């Protein structure tokens, strides 16, 4: 039996196809995994009168899991980390009471316990001047 050049090429092509199919499947899986949403948080209002409340909302976290809130004072020091539980959609709501906070700009970010991804940093200002607030 004589090997024809085209049969060698066709056989090599078929073997290459067998290797590329699993590789393309892995690449698709890697892209889908990397395409996860970045955790995002918002605070409202952005300027609040001392003794009022700030609503912290988050989305894009691991569903039905823990997240850790990091609240930093105006001097850069951090309050103890606060665990938050996300719902089945990877969202949460948390109320920040400013009763124990002094005037100044505070920063908050939230870390997803499973993915280790960290949200954006949201800022809010606590003021003692009732004319200088964005309270609803």
């Amino acid at each position: 039996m004589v090997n024809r050049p085209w049969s060698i090429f066709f056989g090599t092509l078929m073997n290459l196809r067998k290797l590329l199919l699993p590789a393309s499947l892995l690449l698709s899986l890697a892209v889908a995994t990397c395409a996860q949403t970045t955790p995002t948080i918002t605070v409202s209002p952005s300027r609040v009168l001392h003794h009022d409340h700030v609503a912290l909302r988050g989305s894009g976290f691991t569903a039905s899991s823990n997240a850790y809130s990091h609240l930093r004072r105006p001097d850069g020091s951090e309050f103890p980390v606060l665990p938050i539980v996300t719902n089945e959609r990877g969202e949460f709501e948390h109320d920040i009471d400013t009763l124990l906070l002094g005037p100044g700009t505070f920063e908050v970010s939230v870390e997803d316990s499973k993915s280790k991804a960290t949200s954006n940093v949201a800022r809010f200002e606590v003021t003692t001047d009732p004319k200088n607030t964005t309270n609803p």
Side-chain angles (χ1 to χ4, degrees), residues 37-134:
T37 59
T38 302
T40 305
I41 60 169
T42 60
V43 291
S44 179
S46 60
R47 190 174 298 126
V48 63
L49 186 60
H50 186 251
H51 301 307
D52 278 347
H53 297 259
V54 174
L56 170 64
R57 291 182 179 86
S59 62
F61 292 85
T62 302
S64 304
S65 186
N66 290 321
Y68 301 110
S69 173
H70 298 268
L71 179 62
R72 283 175 284 291
R73 297 176 183 91
D75 68 4
S77 63
E78 188 173 315
F79 285 94
V81 175
L82 178 73
I84 297 174
V85 178
T86 62
N87 66 17
E88 65 280 353
R89 293 181 307 279
E91 303 168 338
F92 68 83
E93 288 188 29
H94 176 71
D95 179 63
I96 300 173
D97 187 348
T98 66
L99 179 65
L100 299 177
L101 305 182
T105 302
F106 292 80
E107 295 182 340
V108 63
S109 63
V110 181
E111 177 190 359
D112 187 303
S113 68
K114 294 255 167 95
S115 71
K116 302 299 182 201
T118 302
S119 73
N120 58 301
V121 175
R123 292 170 183 81
F124 64 92
E125 182 183 352
V126 176
T127 182
T128 54
D129 182 2
K131 298 175 190 165
N132 193 23
T133 64
T134 55

